[in-house]
Amino acid sequence: QKEVEQDPGPLSVPEGAIVSLNCTYSNSAFQYFMWYRQYSRKGPELLMYTYSSGNKEDGRFTAQVDKSSKYISLFIRDSQPSDSATYLCAMRGYSGAGSYQLTFGKGTKLSVIP
Amino acid sequence: ETGVTQSPTHLIKTRGQQVTLRCSSQSGHNTVSWYQQALGQGPQFIFQYYREEENGRGNFPPRFSGLQFPNYSSELNVNALELDDSALYLCASSPGSFLSPYEQYFGPGTRLTVT
């Protein structure tokens, strides 16, 4: 079983739709939970992060973490064609000697159709 | 603008060759991490350097090695290239080893193709 599972999609939605992206994880030691957006041929950029269970909202984006179920979600409201990208969930874990590493999901490719 | 740059943008190598990829960290950042992202996969952690010392490593063989210089720029070296090494190689810099998520920035990556 992989430490982080994410449905790779692809996911195609009409403009204005609500998008739901999800990840599950198995390592209870994970701390920060993050969502990155990656456009084609670019590096990932951090969208949102959260430390504790619950919801965190930023504009059209809401990140949700349920540590008891080891499940995280990202919701995008009023989706726009510019939201078309690959969305990666990531979790921070300790890799020893005072360093931390990110463990990523596979990424979900999202297309928002005008 | 993140300020993390990588070179080259892409390159093609032959199986068995050696390659060096370069990363210039954002100003003031003393920690760099390298990731490998195969096509259709998420990035996988290779290793991290903090103040010129490797202080964390993922599940990659010793033929993946690195260096961090006093100006905090960094290199990733891969020896004896294999076809499976074909991937996008990402570096990410941050101002400290404890990796606050909002402080780590990724570069655009180097796309390596091994034939």
Side-chain angles (χ1 to χ4, degrees):
Chain A
Q1 180 192 10
K2 295 196 101 169
E3 282 192 297
V4 179
E5 299 275 4
Q6 182 177 11
D7 185 341
L11 181 62
S12 186
V13 302
E15 183 176 353
I18 296 175
V19 176
S20 172
L21 305 167
N22 311 293
C23 288
T24 59
Y25 64 96
S26 57
N27 188 344
S28 299
F30 283 141
Q31 302 165 321
Y32 285 102
F33 303 90
M34 290 148 287
W35 287 94
Y36 285 83
R37 178 173 61 196
Q38 186 174 27
Y39 291 113
S40 182
R41 303 188 185 278
K42 301 285 188 184
E45 64 173 318
L46 180 66
L47 267 180
M48 297 188 70
Y49 72 92
T50 184
Y51 184 78
S52 56
S53 284
N55 292 355
K56 183 176 181 180
E57 192 172 314
D58 184 2
R60 297 186 293 111
F61 298 90
T62 299
Q64 193 174 76
V65 173
D66 182 348
K67 284 188 175 181
S68 62
S69 303
K70 297 190 178 67
Y71 187 88
I72 71 170
S73 300
L74 177 71
F75 299 96
I76 307 174
R77 290 183 298 280
D78 187 24
S79 56
Q80 302 295 309
S82 58
D83 294 328
S84 299
T86 296
Y87 289 80
L88 298 152
C89 64
M91 295 158 200
R92 191 190 85 163
Y94 187 62
S95 58
S99 76
Y100 293 83
Q101 69 182 72
L102 299 182
T103 301
F104 284 85
K106 271 190 174 183
T108 300
K109 186 169 184 178
L110 171 68
S111 296
V112 181
I113 312 300
Chain B
E1 188 173 352
T2 66
V4 180
T5 60
Q6 292 186 244
S7 62
T9 304
H10 57 267
L11 74 166
I12 300 173
K13 289 286 190 177
T14 302
R15 190 170 51 183
Q17 287 187 315
Q18 179 265 344
V19 69
T20 297
L21 310 181
R22 294 179 174 84
C23 172
S24 179
S25 298
Q26 182 153 325
S27 177
H29 286 191
N30 58 15
T31 302
V32 65
S33 301
W34 284 90
Y35 290 81
Q36 179 195 66
Q37 186 176 21
L39 197 62
Q41 303 294 317
Q44 294 225 349
F45 176 71
I46 303 174
F47 45 58
Q48 178 178 295
Y49 277 78
Y50 171 63
R51 292 185 174 176
E52 303 176 56
E53 296 285 332
E54 182 183 301
N55 72 338
R57 190 175 184 93
N59 190 25
F60 279 80
R63 58 190 186 84
F64 286 79
S65 62
L67 279 174
Q68 187 182 30
F69 300 99
N71 66 354
Y72 302 133
S73 64
S74 174
E75 286 182 355
L76 165 66
N77 298 291
V78 187
N79 293 323
L81 283 167
E82 300 177 1
L83 296 178
D84 283 349
D85 295 334
S86 295
L88 180 70
Y89 288 85
L90 297 159
C91 77
S93 75
S94 56
S97 180
F98 292 104
L99 192 51
S100 297
Y102 54 87
E103 294 178 309
Q104 186 184 51
Y105 297 99
F106 281 86
T110 292
R111 184 160 298 282
L112 172 64
T113 301
V114 182
T115 62

